[in-house]
Amino acid sequence: MAPHRQVVVLLSLLSLTALLCQSVRYEPNWESIDSRPLPSWYDEVKLGIFIHWGVFSVPSLSSEWFWWRWKGQPVQEVVDFMKQNYRPDFTYADFAPMFTTEFFEAEQWAELFQASGAGYVVFVSKHHEGYTNWPSKYSFNWNSMDVGPNRDIVGELADAIRNKTDLRFGLYHSLFEWFNPLLLQDQANNFTTQDFVFSKTMPELYEIVNSYKPEVIWSDGDWSAADTYWNSTSFLAWLYNDSPVKDTVVTNDRWGKGAHCVHGVKQTRKFENAMTIDKHSWGYRRNAPLSDFLTMEELISTFIITVSCGGNMLMNVGPTKYGIITPIYEERLRSMGEWLQVNGEGIYSSRPWTYQNDTENPNVWYTAKNVTGEKVVYAFVLKWPTGGALTLGAPIPGSTSTVSLLGYEGYLDYKKTDPQGMVITIPTIGFMDMPCQWAWTFKLTSIEN
């Protein structure tokens, strides 16, 4: 990593570039759109919360792809479930009135997300089922105001996030819908017509941006057709030029077949690890056993590795149809927040170091930052060292280097090894005095490489 003054210059240049971009018009082509700098806030916060909620939360079986697994490409478990529990003429639309949300309290959700240590949320405004969680003018009788909750879910959550937390608010939106007849007709026409795009999905995107001002647009459902069908570059040019969030919005890379890992946030610039606490579903599942949920060890190690490699992690929860984020999700989010209270210094605003993984210890991952002009390296240890010592192969300590353990007072002794590396002496720490339960962070100052 660069010295502190260079980081300040880099951020200043990004800020200056953002200001200059206010007078620059992005053209509706990928070369121009990809030239837009990433808003700096996104790289600083590292952790986001994904929320998958919709009509699929009513059957709450299999996954958020329930409808497709019933009527698109049938899965026997889903077909049998419907035969055994619902009348023969029951349709997927009949689930919508059961999407009751009576226990949904947006401010409670906001408090939980704040407690997780996250910096942004991404809420599913519309999944592939086509049901919109806001009163869309373009989704008659298939939205959260006309059927089901009779409330503007997106609006309530956006207000709570902005009024009660310092998190950024973002929205997921699926470009396509499994069974929309307009899309099926465009598909039958080999996507030479765009009736679905111009009468349904693009108007929805403009509507949510103008109404709710999301600072993340997480697009999905693009894979069946090229970006030219979806009219993606025209929308993105408007988003970056004229929208109410033009200077702060972040987008992903799902804007057409062949666009993944090519346009938007990508690893050569920045990437996001979107993952879910339930290993098998993004939506809530009533029949999920405890073993299907990632443990805190798994969540934290995934998070550390993602940040070490320069990414953000977007961690998903699936609420019930009643609007409850169940205790297993709540426990994971609050535990992540507790861990970050101790170890966040090595996470927030950090940058990848020269090494991501240690050269000798596979259970050690690194980040770096500059603190008051001094280069600091953070070594995240996934397994507590045994034998009273921690061996690191990558760092080269200098004559004034210090070693400390975040959440534990004082400095630790160490010995430099040849030609590089160090052995840190680990003191005997009582169980009740351990700074945290999972993954411990050693802070190394004045490292020479």
Side-chain angles (χ1 to χ4, degrees):
M1 290 301 297
H4 177 64
R5 69 184 64 168
Q6 290 178 290
V7 172
V8 172
V9 169
L10 175 60
L11 295 178
S12 297
L13 287 174
L14 285 175
S15 299
L16 177 60
T17 304
L19 289 172
L20 291 173
C21 286
Q22 294 178 10
S23 60
V24 172
R25 300 291 296 177
Y26 292 99
E27 299 297 324
N29 61 70
W30 287 118
E31 182 180 4
S32 178
I33 288 168
D34 287 344
S35 70
R36 177 181 179 264
L38 180 73
S40 59
W41 72 262
Y42 180 79
D43 188 42
E44 306 301 315
V45 297
K46 306 302 181 184
L47 179 65
I49 304 299
F50 220 170
I51 310 109
H52 275 67
W53 203 30
V55 174
F56 52 81
S57 304
V58 177
S60 54
L61 180 81
S62 183
S63 83
E64 70 287 350
W65 281 58
F66 183 90
W67 194 5
W68 183 254
R69 293 177 179 180
W70 178 29
K71 294 296 185 180
Q73 292 182 344
V75 172
Q76 198 61 46
E77 175 196 25
V78 174
V79 173
D80 290 346
F81 174 80
M82 293 305 299
K83 285 182 178 179
Q84 293 165 8
N85 295 284
Y86 295 89
R87 66 179 188 270
D89 61 344
F90 192 92
T91 69
Y92 188 78
D94 291 324
F95 280 125
M98 304 178 198
F99 183 42
T100 50
T101 76
E102 63 263 41
F103 293 126
F104 170 53
E105 296 289 345
E107 291 186 0
Q108 290 180 1
W109 284 24
E111 183 277 327
L112 175 59
F113 300 149
Q114 181 85 76
S116 75
Y120 61 107
V121 301
V122 177
F123 179 68
V124 169
S125 67
K126 184 193 79 171
H127 201 257
H128 312 322
E129 64 190 10
Y131 182 92
T132 67
N133 279 320
W134 80 97
S136 176
K137 295 183 292 186
Y138 306 98
S139 190
F140 174 73
N141 207 38
W142 194 232
N143 66 73
S144 63
M145 187 63 75
D146 290 346
V147 59
N150 302 124
R151 57 201 295 188
D152 181 359
I153 296 172
V154 172
E156 289 181 37
L157 186 58
D159 288 345
I161 292 295
R162 292 189 172 115
N163 294 335
K164 299 297 181 178
T165 77
D166 57 6
L167 280 71
R168 307 271 181 159
F169 181 72
L171 289 173
Y172 164 109
H173 175 271
S174 175
L175 291 174
F176 97 130
E177 300 170 14
W178 286 310
F179 303 110
N180 190 295
L182 292 175
L183 177 60
L184 295 178
Q185 186 58 56
D186 283 348
Q187 182 175 314
N189 295 335
N190 200 29
F191 298 111
T192 57
T193 56
Q194 294 173 284
D195 292 338
F196 175 73
V197 173
F198 292 120
S199 64
K200 183 65 163 66
T201 201
M202 274 298 156
E204 288 175 347
L205 272 172
Y206 286 98
E207 186 177 47
I208 59 174
V209 172
N210 284 319
S211 297
Y212 305 109
K213 302 174 179 57
E215 293 182 274
V216 177
I217 297 291
W218 216 99
S219 181
D220 196 13
D222 61 317
W223 52 80
S224 62
D227 63 89
T228 49
Y229 168 75
W230 298 115
N231 205 42
S232 299
T233 55
S234 293
F235 170 74
L236 290 170
W238 170 81
L239 187 68
Y240 296 160
N241 289 328
D242 301 312
S243 79
V245 288
K246 60 188 175 66
D247 299 321
T248 58
V249 70
V250 175
T251 63
N252 66 343
D253 59 357
R254 298 188 179 186
W255 295 100
K257 184 167 62 176
H260 291 202
C261 298
V262 178
H263 306 296
V265 175
K266 57 184 180 180
Q267 193 160 351
T268 54
R269 288 161 29 196
K270 179 69 181 179
F271 74 98
E272 181 178 77
N273 177 9
M275 48 76 67
T276 181
I277 296 173
D278 179 345
K279 302 173 188 177
H280 303 293
S281 176
W282 299 80
Y284 174 69
R285 291 188 302 143
R286 286 179 287 170
N287 61 336
L290 179 63
S291 60
D292 280 355
F293 294 88
L294 293 175
T295 65
M296 282 310 302
E297 289 87 349
E298 291 170 322
L299 283 172
I300 290 174
S301 63
T302 300
F303 183 41
I304 288 170
I305 294 168
T306 298
V307 174
S308 178
C309 294
N312 281 17
M313 189 170 86
L314 187 60
M315 183 169 60
N316 179 75
V317 299
T320 70
K321 70 170 188 173
Y322 307 113
I324 295 296
I325 296 175
T326 55
I328 185 67
Y329 288 119
E330 180 180 0
E331 187 274 338
R332 296 295 190 264
L333 266 59
R334 292 193 187 278
S335 293
M336 181 65 80
E338 292 172 5
W339 183 84
L340 281 165
Q341 285 180 354
V342 175
N343 302 279
E345 177 185 334
I347 294 291
Y348 300 123
S349 303
S350 68
R351 302 290 182 268
W353 187 43
T354 307
Y355 299 86
Q356 279 70 61
N357 198 194
D358 189 64
T359 54
E360 292 190 22
N361 191 332
N363 292 312
V364 175
W365 294 80
Y366 293 103
T367 64
K369 66 166 64 171
N370 288 271
V371 180
T372 63
E374 181 181 41
K375 183 174 184 178
V376 178
V377 173
Y378 298 90
F380 294 88
V381 180
L382 303 184
K383 293 184 179 180
W384 184 253
T386 58
L390 172 64
T391 300
L392 303 178
I396 301 176
S399 59
T400 61
S401 293
T402 63
V403 177
S404 57
L405 174 64
L406 294 187
Y408 183 78
E409 291 187 4
Y411 293 113
L412 307 183
D413 294 331
Y414 69 90
K415 291 182 180 179
K416 182 179 179 180
T417 56
D418 257 346
Q420 70 182 80
M422 59 198 304
V423 178
I424 301 170
T425 301
I426 305 299
T428 300
I429 305 175
F431 177 80
M432 298 302 294
D433 295 323
M434 290 291 285
C436 57
Q437 296 183 57
W438 318 277
W440 301 266
T441 310
F442 289 82
K443 179 179 179 179
L444 318 176
T445 67
S446 300
I447 297 301
E448 295 185 346
N449 58 334

